[in-house]
């Protein structure tokens, strides 16, 4: 009988699992592979700040895999409401159930604005915006275009969050936008975060480099500020230590929570090498998991590590199902691009698993690296929208 493999989530992680199965050179004819997603559209997170900046329309961002790209894969549209690791079943919101021999959870993280008192109300009034969603990025763009105040605050509401560079990239692009409108000298831009310095998972060097880059662009950085609440009437952020900051426009990183869990509300814990959960036959990858690097730092929630996780999980699933004699370990090699304005980007790249700590540094911003970022999106889009996967 065919073994049943179920993949939850058709975003970067889940689609990368499909790609890794196809690239494995293992015959897949005796596997019944099913992928489940709410609507089978996703996006590359780094395109959303481009929407805020006005470089892209929100409608151009979503990616929907073609039927050809998912040929040979059973697709199920639905929302996951429960996983029974003992019965080996996944329950969907329509009360249907899928049974599995192997399960890979790649459902990512979702925004949870209600975790910060006052934040949802400020967002509803249009005084607070974010770009952690396609529609939200469009709202942020309109807020920037209509801005006439003198103070923009970028706020990291809590940790962990997707894309460690995003709040800093957003601040730099806001500065770039205001420069184009000849308004920059009239606007104060600052960033507040609970982190001691940006990108702590990258080690001791990249964060201070990024702080200097902000300073060079007239943006002030305030670390170790944990958000307690937002006062939408007073347009004030209140921090846990009692300090406050006022704003004319608040651009925030929403609180995050896992979209799907197994046995509790927390991020799914996995083996840092195999990506297997504590349950036999169940793996999890991407933003929904918690992985600690050898130096004790949390691995960033970034697309490259969803892809790395997919590579390890797919091979280990094939080994578990006795279709391959090979196993695989999660790679710590990662990178991210940081748009800095004027269609230029910097890059941080290296091994996040090195000891005693990672030694990631930022390159000088360049137009070539911005083009590389655009090409990365084009290649991924072409893989899934235009032709059979990879």
């Amino acid at each position: 009988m065919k073994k049943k493999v179920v993949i939850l989530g058709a975003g970067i992680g889940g689609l990368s699992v499909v790609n890794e199965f196809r690239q494995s050179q293992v015959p897949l004819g005796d596997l019944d592979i099913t992928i489940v997603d709410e609507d089978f559209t996703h996006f590359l997170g780094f395109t959303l700040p481009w929407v805020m900046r006005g470089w892209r329309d929100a409608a151009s961002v979503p990616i929907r895999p073609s039927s050809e790209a998912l040929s040979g894969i059973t697709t199920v549209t639905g929302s996951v409401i429960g996983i029974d690791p003992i019965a080996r079943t996944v329950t969907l919101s329509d009360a249907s159930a899928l049974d599995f021999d192997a399960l890979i959870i790649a459902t990512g993280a979702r925004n949870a604005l209600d975790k910060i008192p006052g934040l949802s109300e400020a967002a509803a009034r249009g005084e607070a915006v974010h770009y952690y969603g396609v529609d939200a990025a469009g709202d942020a763009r309109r807020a920037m275009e209509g801005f006439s105040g003198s103070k923009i605050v970028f706020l990291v509401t809590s940790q962990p969050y997707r894309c460690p560079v995003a709040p800093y990239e957003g601040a730099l692009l806001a500065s770039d936008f205001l420069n184009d409108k000849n308004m920059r000298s009239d606007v104060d831009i600052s960033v507040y975060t609970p982190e001691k310095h940006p990108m702590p998972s990258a080690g001791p060097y990249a964060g201070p480099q990024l702080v200097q880059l902000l300073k060079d662009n007239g943006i002030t950085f305030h670390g170790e500020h944990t958000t307690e609440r937002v006062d939408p009437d007073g347009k004030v952020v209140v921090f846990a230590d009692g300090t406050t900051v006022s704003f004319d426009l608040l651009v925030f990183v929403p609180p995050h929570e896992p979209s799907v869990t197994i046995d509790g509300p927390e991020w799914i814990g996995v083996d840092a090498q195999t990506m297997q959960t504590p349950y036999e036959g169940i793996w999890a990858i991407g933003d929904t998991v918690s992985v600690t690097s050898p130096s004790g730092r949390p691995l960033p929630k970034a697309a490259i590590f969803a892809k790395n996780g997919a590579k390890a999980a797919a091979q280990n699933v094939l080994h578990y199902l006795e279709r391959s004699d090979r196993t695989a370990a999660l790679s710590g090699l990662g990178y991210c691009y940081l748009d800095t304005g004027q269609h230029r980007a910097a890059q941080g790249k290296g091994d996040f698993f090195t000891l005693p700590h990672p030694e990631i540094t930022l390159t000088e911003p360049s137009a070539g690296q911005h083009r590389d970022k655009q090409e990365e999106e084009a290649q991924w889009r072409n893989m899934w929208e235009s032709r059979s996967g990879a």
Side-chain angles (χ1 to χ4, degrees):
M1 292 182 63
K2 287 188 175 182
K3 295 289 188 179
K4 296 181 179 180
V5 179
V6 174
I7 304 165
L8 303 182
I12 294 171
L15 293 178
S16 293
V17 170
V18 172
N19 188 44
E20 292 299 332
F21 280 152
R22 289 172 170 166
Q23 296 292 320
S24 68
Q25 300 184 337
V26 173
L28 303 177
D30 61 347
L31 294 180
D32 180 358
I33 303 174
T34 297
I35 188 165
V36 181
D37 195 80
E38 291 184 351
D39 59 10
F40 284 90
T41 61
H42 70 288
F43 52 81
L44 299 186
F46 63 67
T47 61
L48 298 180
W50 294 347
V51 174
M52 183 200 72
R53 175 60 181 84
W55 290 341
R56 290 280 292 273
D57 291 328
S60 73
V61 166
I63 300 169
R64 184 177 183 87
S66 67
S67 57
E68 181 187 3
L70 291 175
S71 62
I73 309 295
T74 300
T75 59
V76 174
T77 301
S79 300
V80 177
I81 62 170
I83 298 170
D84 188 329
I86 307 304
R88 291 174 172 255
T89 58
V90 174
T91 303
L92 305 181
S93 57
D94 63 1
S96 63
L98 301 170
D99 59 319
F100 60 84
D101 295 293
L103 176 70
I104 301 177
I105 305 168
T107 44
R110 62 188 173 199
N111 302 327
L113 274 65
D114 289 343
K115 286 190 171 184
I116 301 295
L119 185 59
S120 291
E121 185 178 348
R125 294 181 180 186
E127 296 162 353
V129 296
H130 68 88
Y131 42 88
Y132 273 74
V134 175
D135 292 341
D139 291 340
R141 174 181 181 173
R142 287 184 285 275
M144 291 297 302
E145 289 173 342
F147 183 72
S148 59
S150 62
K151 194 169 187 180
I152 301 177
V153 172
F154 281 77
L155 177 70
V156 179
T157 59
S158 63
Q159 297 176 278
Y161 61 92
R162 291 165 285 175
C163 190
V165 304
Y168 311 104
E169 185 173 57
L172 289 164
L173 292 181
S175 177
D176 187 50
F177 174 81
L178 294 172
N179 272 323
D180 278 359
K181 296 194 73 174
N182 296 316
M183 294 173 57
R184 180 65 183 93
S185 61
D186 299 324
V187 180
D188 175 80
I189 302 177
S190 57
V191 183
Y192 288 78
T193 176
E195 304 159 312
K196 185 175 182 179
H197 61 73
M199 302 169 60
S201 59
Y205 307 124
Q209 287 179 309
L210 183 45
V211 171
Q212 184 61 51
L213 184 58
L214 295 172
K215 184 177 180 181
D216 292 344
N217 284 269
I219 301 166
T220 55
F221 172 79
H222 302 272
E224 299 181 294
H225 279 70
T226 300
T227 302
E228 182 176 278
R229 61 185 175 89
V230 174
D231 176 0
D233 293 324
K235 300 177 75 169
V236 167
V237 179
V238 180
F239 298 103
D241 63 0
T243 61
T244 63
V245 62
S246 61
F247 59 85
D248 294 312
L249 177 65
L250 180 66
V251 187
F252 63 93
V253 176
H256 287 16
E257 63 185 14
S259 296
V260 172
T261 61
I262 301 177
D263 54 7
E266 302 302 321
W267 304 98
I268 299 174
V270 294
D271 183 283
Q273 289 199 343
T274 67
M275 306 307 291
Q276 184 169 338
T277 71
Y279 301 100
E280 182 181 351
I282 302 179
W283 288 257
I285 64 172
D287 292 345
T288 199
V289 307
S290 175
V291 177
T292 301
S293 71
S295 64
R297 293 169 168 82
L299 200 63
K301 294 187 182 299
I304 183 60
F305 290 113
K307 293 179 179 180
N308 290 358
K311 185 180 290 291
Q315 186 59 53
N316 292 329
V317 165
L318 293 173
H319 180 266
Y320 173 74
L321 297 177
E322 300 181 336
R323 299 307 193 269
S324 172
D325 59 3
R326 294 187 295 116
T327 59
L330 176 67
S331 170
L333 295 175
Y335 68 90
C336 68
Y337 292 101
L338 168 72
D339 273 298
T340 59
Q342 299 181 319
H343 295 282
R344 298 165 67 86
Q347 186 191 54
K349 183 178 182 179
D351 190 344
F352 285 73
F353 285 177
T354 57
L355 291 172
H357 53 68
E359 298 185 0
I360 313 300
T361 58
L362 293 179
T363 61
E364 287 293 321
S366 70
Q369 289 174 138
H370 178 72
R371 289 193 295 270
D372 289 343
K373 192 173 182 179
Q374 293 173 309
E375 179 61 22
E376 182 172 322
E377 186 212 5
Q379 290 178 356
W380 179 262
R381 186 179 290 275
N382 183 60
M383 179 185 297
W384 296 107
E385 287 188 336
S386 304
R387 57 186 173 83
S388 184

